[in-house]
Amino acid sequence: MFNLSRLDRSNASHIAAIDLGSNSFHMIIAKWDNDQLVVLDRLRDPVRMGWGLGSDGSLSEDARIRALNCLEKFGERLREYPSRSVRIVGTKTLRSINDSSQFLADAQQRLGHPVEIISGDEEARLIYLGVAHCIAPKDGKRLVMDIGGGSTEIIVGENMSPLVKESLNMGCVAITKKFFLDGKVTDKNANKAFIACMQEVAPVADEFIQQGWNQVLGASGTIKAVAKVCTAAGWSNGTIRLMDLEKIIQLYCQHGSTDLKIPGLSDDRQPVFLGGVIVLKALFESLQIAEMMAADWALREGLLFDLKGRLENHDIRQGSVDALASRFHVNMEKSLAVASTALNFLSQVADDWDLNHSEASKMLNWAARLYSVGLDIAHNDYHKHGAYIVQNVDLAGCSRVEQSHLSVLVLAHRKRFPIKHFPAGNEDLIHLAILLRLAVIFHRGKKADGLPNMTLSVNKKKIKLKIPPQWLEEHPLTFADLETEMRHLDDIGYSLDII
């Protein structure tokens, strides 16, 4: 997540990732040694936050307390880490909470770092990234899946790149809650659970089958637990087959309860194991899978590799922004000119507005590249069309908050300043919007003589822009736009003086 204010820029040899899943919270701490990931520590807590998610999107007090107590423990390890070395993401349950703002604030207080809520598509991308680095790709495509507590991600990819990805609304906690909440297991409710999972997979099954694959890998606690059970029972050496899943489900139906003790299954996995096995059986049948191997790495390892890329300036978000601009036929020559002017303004005021130049410049640069995407829809109110596109399209690498911030910058680049759409108290984002608005004004039309030397200075909400008077006289339309901008900024409590 972007923190536009200045950050601790100290170097850190260690990096950390936390995955706040619907079933378990995981933390992994690692370092890079000769370009290899070396894991130093892992922590896991079966918080089962998904158990506390109500049908109305509320989170029970018990689940909230369990989650925050876990994060308090994680925070002890992370408080000395600079924010640039830590990524923390929330998945299905946090995506489903009606108003997660208070929980996120409480979580950040305990962790010392912000939590990002990521989309199902982004979760799938990161899972594939982790698995791809864990097991060397074979020739051809591979099918990767991860059964979480609240959602299941399935991806077909080749080498290091996901090609098709989906996030499905079924998981080990969700299925257990819906069909086995009282702990009883019968042929009838097991079959109902299986049919519900098949219905969830059905809309996307053909698309995946048409892709084809040479290898199938599973990357979750459920799938690794199934592999251990298969090994302990002597059914295989860890390879998972449909017949193995059917045997496990039959054992539960014969026992009549979810409290079945199975060799190879840990006690903390037991309450939600059957739900996960039924999800996996539905995937096997729907996607016509013959067998599967379990992979040790998944989402959190993917986070570490993604974080490494950001630290080394190989940020996938840049590619996502450029791809979106190309898709909507953005005039990149003009957008890059706007970006250049906006970044020039930023360099002049970053210190006075206490902005982290590195992070703010990324956000401002991307907003400048995307501000005109709405023109591909219609010229009238194109800033609104653009904001909608940026908010709702799949931008790989971006969290929900990052996309929301980019969207509001696109919305705010022209006309009246839409202050009500800005997050409360986020003056930094308002400042970036002001810089973008000023840059756009100077590139509304072609100027044969180029731009003048301009000096921008700020003192809190007072802005001064120094422009040669002769240039302004020769460009009356730009001067008129600047006068209009003075009124728009005055509406939100800022003053702009042209000197």
Side-chain angles (χ1 to χ4, degrees):
M1 182 186 298
F2 279 97
N3 182 344
L4 299 175
S5 297
R6 296 186 189 186
L7 304 173
D8 178 359
R9 294 177 174 79
S10 61
N11 291 322
S13 59
H14 297 173
I15 57 177
I18 294 179
D19 161 20
L20 307 184
S22 299
N23 186 49
S24 302
F25 287 3
H26 294 261
M27 179 170 73
I28 180 171
I29 295 174
K31 68 176 181 178
W32 296 99
D33 186 7
N34 292 324
D35 211 33
Q36 297 295 311
L37 181 69
V38 179
V39 176
L40 303 175
D41 197 8
R42 291 182 185 270
L43 292 175
R44 174 181 177 269
D45 193 335
V47 172
R48 297 205 174 92
M49 188 163 61
W51 283 108
L53 181 64
S55 58
D56 60 351
S58 62
L59 185 67
S60 71
E61 185 63 15
D62 285 348
R64 190 186 74 84
I65 290 172
R66 288 197 305 272
L68 294 178
N69 285 344
C70 171
L71 298 184
E72 188 79 43
K73 291 183 288 186
F74 284 4
E76 291 180 20
R77 293 296 310 275
L78 295 179
R79 290 191 180 278
E80 300 305 316
Y81 282 54
S83 291
R84 60 192 289 273
S85 300
V86 178
R87 280 199 73 191
I88 306 165
V89 300
T91 56
K92 177 60 177 178
T93 294
L94 283 179
R95 288 197 293 268
S96 303
I97 296 174
N98 276 340
D99 183 5
S100 59
S101 56
Q102 186 58 56
F103 179 83
L104 295 178
D106 292 340
Q108 181 167 347
Q109 183 182 21
R110 286 159 176 78
L111 290 164
H113 303 277
V115 177
E116 308 171 39
I117 299 178
I118 58 174
S119 68
D121 275 346
E122 177 63 4
E123 185 177 356
R125 183 188 72 84
L126 291 167
I127 289 166
Y128 186 84
L129 185 63
V131 172
H133 280 89
C134 175
I135 299 177
K138 295 182 178 179
D139 291 338
K141 299 174 185 176
R142 51 170 47 173
L143 173 66
V144 172
M145 59 184 64
D146 185 303
I147 300 170
S151 66
T152 292
E153 281 64 47
I154 52 177
I155 312 101
V156 170
E158 192 167 11
N159 295 319
M160 293 295 174
S161 302
L163 303 175
V164 179
K165 54 189 186 295
E166 284 287 344
S167 181
L168 304 175
N169 289 316
M170 59 184 188
C172 62
V173 172
I175 294 301
T176 302
K177 277 180 64 179
K178 186 171 183 179
F179 296 97
F180 310 105
L181 188 58
D182 60 0
K184 295 180 181 178
V185 182
T186 65
D187 288 334
K188 185 177 180 179
N189 64 359
N191 191 52
K192 282 185 175 180
F194 173 68
I195 290 173
C197 293
M198 291 288 285
Q199 289 174 322
E200 184 66 26
V201 184
V204 302
D206 286 346
E207 180 182 13
F208 278 85
I209 291 171
Q210 288 168 8
Q211 288 287 328
W213 49 77
N214 296 337
Q215 184 182 33
V216 183
L217 299 169
S220 66
T222 288
I223 292 172
K224 288 189 283 188
V226 170
K228 289 178 181 177
V229 167
C230 290
T231 301
W235 299 338
S236 72
N237 60 352
T239 300
I240 302 170
R241 299 161 300 178
L242 179 60
M243 68 177 72
D244 302 323
L245 302 175
E246 291 172 338
K247 289 177 185 177
I248 294 171
I249 294 169
Q250 190 57 39
L251 287 174
Y252 274 96
C253 290
Q254 291 171 354
H255 181 72
S257 172
T258 56
D259 65 1
L260 177 64
K261 299 286 187 180
I262 301 179
L265 181 64
S266 64
D267 290 342
D268 67 335
R269 174 65 55 180
Q270 177 189 304
V272 297
F273 185 59
L274 175 60
V277 172
I278 290 174
V279 170
L280 188 55
K281 181 189 174 187
L283 291 167
F284 262 70
E285 291 213 3
S286 298
L287 302 178
Q288 304 169 16
I289 297 170
E291 61 181 37
M292 168 189 290
M293 294 295 296
D296 288 332
W297 289 0
L299 173 59
R300 46 207 164 274
E301 289 81 12
L303 281 168
L304 292 178
F305 282 99
D306 200 58
L307 179 59
K308 180 176 184 283
R310 294 186 182 189
L311 293 172
E312 295 176 352
N313 292 320
H314 304 301
D315 195 333
I316 190 173
R317 293 173 295 179
Q318 180 67 61
S320 299
V321 167
D322 290 342
L324 182 60
S326 175
R327 175 179 170 185
F328 285 90
H329 308 104
V330 166
N331 180 340
M332 192 52 68
E333 181 181 358
K334 184 173 183 179
S335 289
L336 291 177
V338 170
S340 177
T341 300
L343 293 174
N344 178 36
F345 287 153
L346 174 64
S347 68
Q348 297 182 53
V349 302
D351 289 342
D352 290 329
W353 266 342
D354 199 31
L355 292 167
N356 172 359
H357 188 272
S358 174
E359 293 296 292
S361 63
K362 288 180 184 177
M363 180 66 80
L364 190 56
N365 177 42
W366 296 342
R369 290 168 182 251
L370 296 178
Y371 80 91
S372 63
V373 292
L375 283 171
D376 212 40
I377 306 298
H379 186 274
N380 191 39
D381 285 338
Y382 76 87
H383 58 303
K384 296 179 182 179
H385 302 312
Y388 180 85
I389 291 167
V390 173
Q391 178 71 63
N392 292 283
V393 78
D394 175 23
L395 273 180
C398 289
S399 69
R400 280 186 170 185
V401 170
E402 289 167 350
Q403 280 194 231
S404 179
H405 287 179
L406 276 173
S407 174
V408 79
L409 288 176
V410 170
L411 180 67
H413 86 268
R414 68 193 290 259
K415 295 194 172 182
R416 293 187 179 276
F417 203 106
I419 193 67
K420 67 180 181 180
H421 292 276
F422 280 73
N426 196 327
E427 290 289 325
D428 294 336
L429 198 61
I430 292 173
H431 293 158
L432 293 193
I434 291 172
L435 299 179
L436 179 62
R437 291 169 69 91
L438 291 174
V440 168
I441 286 173
F442 284 97
H443 293 278
R444 269 195 189 134
K446 286 189 176 265
K447 296 173 175 60
D449 53 351
L451 296 183
N453 291 323
M454 295 180 285
T455 302
L456 189 68
S457 60
V458 297
N459 182 8
K460 295 182 179 179
K461 294 190 176 184
K462 295 182 178 180
I463 306 166
K464 293 184 178 180
L465 181 59
K466 186 175 182 181
I467 306 173
Q470 184 178 352
W471 190 91
L472 283 177
E473 291 176 6
E474 294 170 355
H475 298 83
L477 291 179
T478 301
F479 186 44
D481 285 341
L482 289 170
E483 289 183 318
T484 301
E485 185 65 11
M486 292 178 192
R487 294 192 293 271
H488 290 328
L489 293 181
D490 185 64
D491 288 342
I492 62 168
Y494 282 76
S495 66
L496 171 63
D497 291 329
I498 309 298
I499 58 176

